[in-house]
Amino acid sequence: LSHSMAIWIIVNGVLWVGGKWRWYLLFWLFHILVDIPGHTHFATPFLYPLSSWRINGWFSWDNYAIWTLSLLVPMVVIMVKYRLVVRK
């Protein structure tokens, strides 16, 4: 359920209309988009409940480069958003 783009669109649409949408909800979308090709042992039902169509993954989370990128991208976005700088 939490890996569904359809659910993400519905939840974010309701929050947008209600004036409660926040930019950090994009990280949920980022997680879904990374998980679609990122599961080799099982396919993510990213269109649930509209469709049961799935994509078999192209890479595994066992790959440390992918895992590291999935952590660094949100960190960099937050640093840019809040203009955080690393002090020497």
Side-chain angles (χ1 to χ4, degrees):
L1 190 65
S2 64
H3 289 72
S4 171
M5 289 178 65
I7 300 297
W8 184 86
I9 290 169
I10 292 167
V11 168
N12 281 271
V14 168
L15 291 172
W16 182 276
V17 169
K20 300 289 186 184
W21 189 87
R22 300 293 182 257
W23 69 272
Y24 48 80
L25 290 168
L26 292 173
F27 290 125
W28 180 14
L29 178 62
F30 173 73
H31 178 81
I32 294 168
L33 293 175
V34 171
D35 263 3
I36 291 170
H39 286 291
T40 54
H41 301 294
F42 62 91
T44 302
F46 65 97
L47 295 175
Y48 176 85
L50 303 176
S51 173
S52 61
W53 191 64
R54 301 164 185 237
I55 295 175
N56 287 326
W58 302 315
F59 60 84
S60 174
W61 285 105
D62 294 344
N63 182 330
Y64 288 114
I66 299 296
W67 190 80
T68 302
L69 277 174
S70 74
L71 294 175
L72 286 178
V73 168
M75 288 171 51
V76 169
V77 169
I78 290 170
M79 289 175 70
V80 169
K81 167 79 173 150
Y82 292 106
R83 294 179 180 88
L84 300 175
V85 292
V86 178
R87 297 182 183 180
K88 292 182 182 180

